[in-house]
Amino acid sequence: MLDIQLLRKDLASVVTRLGSRDFTLDAAHFEAIENERKDLQTRTQDLQAQRNTLSKQIGMAKSQGLDASDLMQQVPAVNTALVDLEARLGTLQNEMQTFLAGIPNLPQDGVPVGFNEEGNVEVRRWGQPRSFDFTPLDHIDLGESLELLDFPTAVKIATSRFALMRGDLARLHRALAQFMLDVHTSEHGYEEIYVPYLVNADSLHGTGQLPKFEEDLFKVGDNLYLIPTAEVPVTNIVRDEIIPIENLPIRLVAHTPCFRSEAGSYGKDTRGMIRQHQFDKVELVQMVHPNDSAAALEELTGHAETILQRLNLPYRVMALCTGDMGFSAARTYDLEVWLPGQNTSREISSCSNFEAFQARRMQARFKNEAGKNELIHTLNGSGLAVGRCLVAVLENYQNADGSITIPEALRPYMRGIERLQANK
RNA sequence: GGAAAGGUGGCAGAGUGGUCGAAUGCACCGGAUUCGAAAUCCGGCAUACGGUUUACCGUAUCGGGGGUUCGAAUCCCCCCCUUUCCGCCA
């Protein structure tokens, strides 16, 4: 959520900056409800003050044994006027909240301007795509011929966009998550954390998935949703909290499944493990002092890159352009890993600085140097998406005979085996 | 799922219709004392919003929502959550 003060003071510039991400802010509508709100609020508060004064006088009179009936006669008229004003003010304030909650974050200066992924800018590139002396297969052909990856059975059990892994492939999947957690906790200073996989609407509102993106979520029961990312439960740890300044920065890492309805992505990536209703992800989350968030994003992105480097998977870092960034982000880097079986790069991590956008929704604050409460800045990034990482390992480490070499870094998690072979 | 008790400021904990945004203690921040510190003493210390604009005024907030009343932390109704006991259970 943006600071409403900013809209009041500098509406024109907010409109311009949001325009760069292809969002049209209805400035006239804002000004209309803002003006009416101001008028209603001052009138309401004046009447409330009147009523409070009268009631106080009645109390004083009665405690002195005096007759208060004159005063008491004056109150109903005030109350009648108030009932109407308070109702209108309430409606208007809700309207304002809804309006504000639907506005995306302002892109930082320096974010490339563009309306779609065409506008993204490659920042750097790491690793050399391997050259094959045979035609590399994609992960589906590899996994299925090894009989370690089974989509039809997953469809039977659940529905499409689910996967079933067996044997050493399932183990490799687990190994990846373990490896990631170990690196982030022991080398990057993150605290490992285990969180609920169901969250309430308040939490989803705090990180920005609600109210706008309900259709992307799986809803369970009245007020619970399956998490679309660990970002939601982990970031909401600080909702409604005032954090002692010496506790910043907070760095948390969690390995969770993620559930996405993928509504509106019919026909997209229907084959394979790239786009699933359920996938595992190791998520990095940071809560930092506002002065430190820009540096923290670079650092956090580097933490995610470390995993790809240790696995020797070639990737590139993309600075997302204004129009391609998520709703809550002020700046985002995507990591795209090279997938030889598909002859393309695919997103495997998205690292974002949300500045105070989520913190304002969550009322997550710290006591600053002056002793005043100030909103923290939040960041997060995948470190990494486990399922897509598995895809990358399969495709990059495949051999001519269809077996998969286990990356060195994962062997300690794989009982030392060096290859994935056909399931026997 | 059944029964009971309870949800008040950073924490603990008073407050059962009026001058209560809320006693007291702890924590925290200033100051005094001290060579310095501890102890002691004095003062300050919730949040959000609005108006005015450095220090001011107003409004709202005592789990959430609704109601009664001139007036609600306090009374009534609904919901949520917590704790304890019972049942069930990984």
Side-chain angles (χ1 to χ4, degrees):
Chain A
M1 196 155 66
L2 298 182
D3 186 355
I4 190 171
Q5 306 290 359
L6 191 63
L7 298 194
R8 286 177 184 145
K9 281 192 197 116
D10 205 357
L11 187 57
S13 121
V14 172
V15 168
T16 308
R17 292 174 69 189
L18 288 173
S20 81
R21 58 183 299 168
D22 205 14
F23 180 88
T24 308
L25 183 77
D26 190 343
H29 182 237
F30 173 78
E31 284 181 318
I33 48 184
E34 171 63 4
N35 288 335
E36 194 181 347
R37 186 228 95 229
K38 192 181 269 190
D39 174 57
L40 279 176
Q41 184 162 344
T42 45
R43 281 159 63 200
T44 304
Q45 293 188 352
D46 282 349
L47 283 179
Q48 287 170 329
Q50 263 184 55
R51 183 188 58 190
N52 289 347
T53 307
L54 283 170
S55 291
K56 204 162 267 189
Q57 285 171 348
I58 291 166
M60 281 157 74
K62 287 198 165 181
S63 72
Q64 288 164 29
L66 302 172
D67 176 32
S69 49
D70 273 2
L71 290 166
M72 287 172 72
Q73 276 173 9
Q74 295 178 45
V75 182
V78 177
N79 276 341
T80 315
L82 256 181
V83 167
D84 176 53
L85 278 176
E86 281 175 342
R88 284 162 62 198
L89 181 59
T91 308
L92 209 62
Q93 283 173 332
N94 285 339
E95 201 178 327
M96 181 60 91
Q97 274 307 112
T98 307
F99 181 76
L100 289 175
I103 303 175
N105 204 356
L106 297 173
Q108 282 181 354
D109 287 344
V111 171
V113 175
F115 284 171
N116 55 49
E117 62 181 16
E118 311 279 296
N120 297 344
V121 172
E122 182 178 313
V123 178
R124 60 183 167 272
R125 200 177 265 255
W126 186 93
Q128 271 299 323
R130 183 181 148 197
S131 61
F132 290 87
D133 50 13
F134 57 94
T135 306
L137 303 177
D138 69 17
H139 67 282
I140 304 148
D141 292 338
L142 289 164
E144 289 186 335
S145 65
L146 289 168
E147 295 183 43
L148 295 172
L149 190 52
D150 180 352
F151 291 105
T153 303
V155 173
K156 176 178 74 179
I157 300 168
T159 177
S160 60
R161 292 197 189 278
F162 283 90
L164 189 144
M165 293 175 265
R166 297 178 184 273
D168 283 339
L169 185 65
R171 187 180 188 97
L172 186 64
H173 182 259
R174 173 161 59 91
L176 278 166
Q178 304 271 80
F179 167 67
M180 293 174 195
L181 281 170
D182 285 348
V183 170
H184 295 312
T185 53
S186 57
E187 298 179 35
H188 297 151
Y190 289 79
E191 180 188 357
E192 181 172 352
I193 187 151
Y194 175 87
V195 291
Y197 300 159
L198 292 173
V199 293
N200 58 37
D202 283 345
S203 293
L204 287 157
H205 189 268
T207 34
Q209 283 78 15
L210 290 180
K212 267 199 141 173
F213 307 101
E214 176 151 23
E215 62 173 24
D216 297 333
L217 302 166
F218 284 111
K219 191 170 187 178
V220 179
D222 284 341
N223 189 36
L224 287 173
Y225 299 80
L226 285 162
I227 55 171
T229 157
E231 164 191 357
V232 179
V234 176
T235 309
N236 274 280
I237 289 170
V238 298
R239 175 153 55 87
D240 293 322
E241 298 291 331
I242 298 171
I243 300 153
I245 189 168
E246 63 270 19
N247 290 3
L248 298 177
I250 297 173
R251 293 196 177 106
L252 304 170
V253 59
H255 165 220
T256 72
C258 304
F259 301 92
R260 299 191 181 174
S261 77
E262 296 296 344
S265 60
Y266 306 108
K268 237 185 191 177
D269 302 316
T270 46
R271 249 170 73 80
M273 289 184 67
I274 291 292
R275 191 175 301 277
Q276 302 274 287
H277 286 311
Q278 172 186 321
F279 62 95
D280 277 26
K281 187 154 58 73
V282 170
E283 183 77 358
L284 305 171
V285 174
Q286 292 199 26
M287 293 89 174
V288 305
H289 190 289
N291 294 342
D292 301 334
S293 68
L297 177 62
E298 303 300 324
E299 198 183 65
L300 184 147
T301 306
H303 295 153
E305 288 177 64
T306 299
I307 301 298
L308 289 169
Q309 293 173 10
R310 296 284 173 84
L311 295 172
N312 205 21
L313 293 169
Y315 67 91
R316 56 180 189 165
V317 181
M318 304 295 289
L320 293 198
C321 70
T322 50
D324 202 31
M325 287 197 301
F327 180 77
S328 305
R331 180 186 291 274
T332 297
Y333 295 116
D334 272 7
L335 305 187
E336 295 184 352
V337 69
W338 176 248
L339 298 180
Q342 300 167 47
N343 198 35
T344 185
S345 288
R346 292 304 301 249
E347 176 191 337
I348 195 167
S349 171
S350 190
C351 304
S352 300
N353 181 0
F354 304 98
E355 297 185 331
F357 189 85
Q358 294 181 327
R360 186 170 294 109
R361 290 172 162 240
M362 294 190 298
Q363 283 303 298
R365 296 158 296 174
F366 71 104
K367 282 247 186 270
N368 69 15
E369 295 80 351
K372 296 280 283 178
N373 294 334
E374 188 178 338
L375 297 167
I376 58 167
H377 280 192
T378 60
L379 306 98
N380 69 52
S382 349
L384 308 161
V386 180
R388 287 190 181 182
C389 197
L390 186 74
V391 167
V393 169
L394 293 180
E395 296 195 10
N396 281 280
Y397 281 84
Q398 61 182 292
N399 302 307
D401 65 359
S403 68
I404 313 289
T405 303
I406 309 279
E408 291 283 352
L410 299 178
R411 292 193 189 163
Y413 301 90
M414 295 296 292
R415 308 187 200 87
I417 62 167
E418 292 175 12
R419 286 186 172 218
L420 287 189
Q421 313 272 8
N423 195 22
K424 281 272 154 73

